Amino acid sequence: MSILETTSVVDTDGPSKNPAINEWVRDVALLTKPDRIVWCDGSTREWDELTKSMVAQGTLIRLNPEWRPNSFLARSDPADVARVEDRTFICSERREDAGPTNNWRSPFAMREELTTLFAGSMRGRTMYVVPFSMGPLGGPISQLGVQLTDSPYVVVSMQLMTRMGSAALDLIETDTPWVPALHSVGAPLVDADGTRHDDVAWPHNPTKYISHFPETREIWSFGSGYGGNALLGKKCFALRIASVMARDEGWLAEHMLIIKITSPEGRVHHVAAAFPSACGKTNLAMLNPSIPGWKVETIGDDIAWMRPGADGKLRAINPERGFFGVAPGTGITTNPTAVDTVWGNTIFTNVALRDDGDVWWEGLTPKAPAHLLDWQGEHWTPSSEGPAAHPNSRFTVTADQCPTIADDWDSPEGVVIDAILFGGRRPSTVPLVSQARDWAHGVFMGATMASETTAAAEGAVGRLRHDPFAMLPFCGYDVTDYFAHWLEIGETLGADAPPVFSVNWFRKDADGRFVWPGFSENSRVLEWIVRRVEGSVETVDTPIGQLPRLRDMNVEGLSLGYEELQGILSVDRAAWLREVDEIDAFFGEIGGERVPVELRRQLASLKANLR
Ligand code: GTP
Ligand code: SPV
Ligand code: MN
């Protein structure tokens, strides 16, 4: 960590080899007026100093080192607990480039507005310069960025979630592309007239802006300290800005997990899968197969950057260094791998605190402790009204602590993707698994995904909405152009394009219970998918795609009746005709004629086949 006082920084050269970075840091400091500037090096010492000072300040609670060494609990402000989609903007020069699914503002108007908000916004605080790499340092698919932030919580989180520090800064030469990512919680400690305030545990501002400038590849985030709003390498860079880079350069930036599957015969396959927020990516990424002989290893749990390689095959990297995983529902029976991963060196946000100084959340253990402090620090017992942990409470931890991490998880060239999965929370209609007839049909499956909303974003939970490719909140440009881009990637890949599947773990029965047991039992679906990739099982052709023959599904030892299985592996024509109407309306909403003709043709033939 190298520290500069603001007054001196104006005439001091920064440590970057890239003069544009030094200049930008200086300009932002002149605008935001922090007391000090700290260039972060990513060292253990830096982590220790920052966590220690946040404990002293009240932002972090040190957990009992006996149970959870070097780990901390953060309690956010109740008004800052998730991504804010209605405050997220794509500021392309032309409104139509942002498309109908994004909030749009003119970049000129937005910069002006943000400049006013950022003026003096860091008064009394430290501005941290956080250089980072998305993807392995120096890797051919990796990208560099620099985040400026006045939140030390963000700094330590970025240390876990990205390759952060001096090594990343050293890679940015004068001509190296890098993404500037400016962040302030918008809570200065000193007023313009010099009045100083005490700090609070979780500073934020009721006015929030998560703004992206795709043409100049910049991010400006104001007012929130939470997750995807504030850890700007993640959704803002690795998805919204990167999707624009990917469109321009012929690759894909996706909301996908990546796993490595080894069959009992020892054959290795890699699978990428897109599910909307809080719909099962981390869980599938860490899957512990219930069927003998199968092994699943983790490569990534949230984001995949994929591009056709020199061999013509689709290759993927996980651009992240860690996991920002949903805590509730993560337990010893559902995801023991995640439970093992967070043994220490972990930041927990908005979970409950046990009396013994460890953490707890709904689903960690079958039985809740008799007494806890809930996510807001209030006394909680099992008879209390609300949950002890916030539904979007999370753990932040590096990937290398995951016991199932694959040895090639950080391979700079990435892994060859053998199958792509799309899934969502669908209580009805969508079967457990089906295969697309070809790439174009697979793109149609991705484009027409819908899922129930979750606590990962502010707003109502459980509302079914279209979420194409699980990218609705993350695509940095017009979603119909994004569909066209996916179709073009298929042209490039040709016969090497991986097969595409639709999956749904969330079918419910008449009593509202999940029909499919999910979690480790999802390995049975992976087995069928691998058998399809290997070409060793046949399918049943239906209007919506190719479904498994029931006899090919491994249900040995599963307490699921034949009829229940048949129910989630068949096509309900009436429901699908309603689905067709929904898709029709959705295509109309996102621009009708702008939807690629191939996808409109797919919809027409689906409709015809159902009748
Ligand atoms: P983001 O980090 O928000 O992108 O979410 P994610 O897609 O990684 O979701 P995650 O795996 O964290 O799962 C979210 C919730 O879904 C958790 O509460 C899980 O327990 C639950 N879940 C995951 N897999 C399954 C499953 O197979 N069946 C059921 N019923 N629930 C599941
Ligand atoms: C999601 O909402 O999809 C997440 C959490 O993975 S956040 O980083 O907040 O976007
Ligand atoms: Mn996500």
Side-chain angles (χ1 to χ4, degrees), residues 127-150:
M127 181 171 89
Y128 300 93
V129 184
V130 182
F132 62 94
S133 172
M134 298 312 291
L137 288 160
I141 306 179
S142 303
Q143 299 279 350
L144 296 151
V146 181
Q147 177 163 355
L148 302 184
T149 180
D150 53 8

Side-chain angles (χ1 to χ4, degrees), residues 275-294:
F275 306 141
S277 302
C279 290
K281 290 183 300 301
T282 304
N283 280 270
L284 190 62
M286 297 181 184
L287 178 122
N288 188 355
S290 60
I291 47 178
W294 291 81

Side-chain angles (χ1 to χ4, degrees), residues 83 227-229 234-235 255 277-278 281 302 324 394 456 474:
R83 284 183 296 99
N229 299 332
K234 200 171 172 57
K235 298 298 160 67
H255 194 201
S277 302
K281 290 183 300 301
D302 198 48
F324 181 61
R394 301 237 170 197
F474 308 121

Side-chain angles (χ1 to χ4, degrees), residues 242-532:
S243 63
V244 173
M245 295 174 162
R247 173 198 64 190
D248 296 347
E249 299 164 10
W251 49 283
L252 298 166
E254 300 300 326
H255 194 201
M256 288 181 174
L257 67 94
I258 310 169
I259 49 177
K260 174 180 183 173
I261 306 175
T262 308
S263 71
E265 303 80 31
R267 281 192 291 270
V268 172
H269 299 281
H270 292 98
V271 170
F275 306 141
S277 302
C279 290
K281 290 183 300 301
T282 304
N283 280 270
L284 190 62
M286 297 181 184
L287 178 122
N288 188 355
S290 60
I291 47 178
W294 291 81
K295 186 156 113 185
V296 172
E297 291 165 279
T298 313
I299 293 181
D301 84 325
D302 198 48
I303 299 175
W305 285 356
M306 308 196 285
R307 61 172 79 202
D311 57 0
K313 294 193 161 57
L314 189 62
R315 287 184 165 270
I317 66 162
N318 166 15
E320 302 193 275
R321 185 195 177 209
F323 309 126
F324 181 61
V326 176
T330 304
I332 293 146
T333 50
T334 56
N335 190 353
T337 307
V339 174
D340 287 347
T341 304
V342 300
W343 61 267
N345 311 315
T346 304
I347 297 173
F348 298 90
T349 308
N350 288 345
V351 301
L353 184 64
R354 292 167 51 105
D355 294 346
D356 64 0
D358 198 8
V359 283
W360 191 84
W361 51 80
E362 278 69 21
L364 175 61
T365 53
K367 207 165 155 270
H371 178 260
L372 295 164
L373 292 182
D374 72 8
W375 65 280
Q376 295 187 76
E378 304 293 336
H379 290 285
W380 187 96
T381 67
S383 60
S384 295
E385 206 179 304
H390 186 276
N392 191 37
S393 56
R394 301 237 170 197
F395 54 81
T396 313
V397 65
T398 56
D400 58 10
Q401 283 193 196
C402 177
T404 59
I405 199 79
D407 52 7
D408 54 356
W409 84 275
D410 57 354
S411 149
E413 293 77 28
V415 296
V416 173
I417 295 300
D418 300 296
I420 291 176
L421 277 47
F422 295 119
R425 283 180 188 266
R426 294 299 305 261
S428 71
T429 316
V430 177
L432 178 65
V433 59
S434 68
Q435 182 177 356
R437 286 182 290 274
D438 53 26
W439 181 267
H441 185 223
V443 173
F444 178 76
M445 277 181 174
T448 58
M449 278 167 67
S451 190
E452 290 180 337
T453 51
T454 65
E458 290 283 2
V461 168
R463 186 176 59 84
L464 191 65
R465 71 169 183 185
H466 279 280
D467 188 347
F469 292 80
M471 284 287 279
L472 181 73
F474 308 121
C475 183
Y477 62 101
D478 187 312
V479 75
T480 60
D481 292 341
Y482 168 88
F483 296 165
H485 180 60
W486 261 84
L487 290 167
E488 273 165 35
I489 293 283
E491 303 276 305
T492 309
L493 291 168
D496 282 323
V500 176
F501 299 82
S502 155
V503 298
N504 178 22
W505 319 140
F506 298 95
R507 284 288 286 266
K508 285 184 174 167
D509 63 18
D511 301 322
R513 279 187 294 255
F514 291 118
V515 177
W516 180 249
F519 301 104
S520 64
E521 305 296 4
N522 294 333
S523 55
R524 299 169 189 274
V525 175
L526 292 183
E527 174 177 19
W528 183 78
I529 287 168
V530 166
R531 295 309 179 211
R532 284 298 298 156

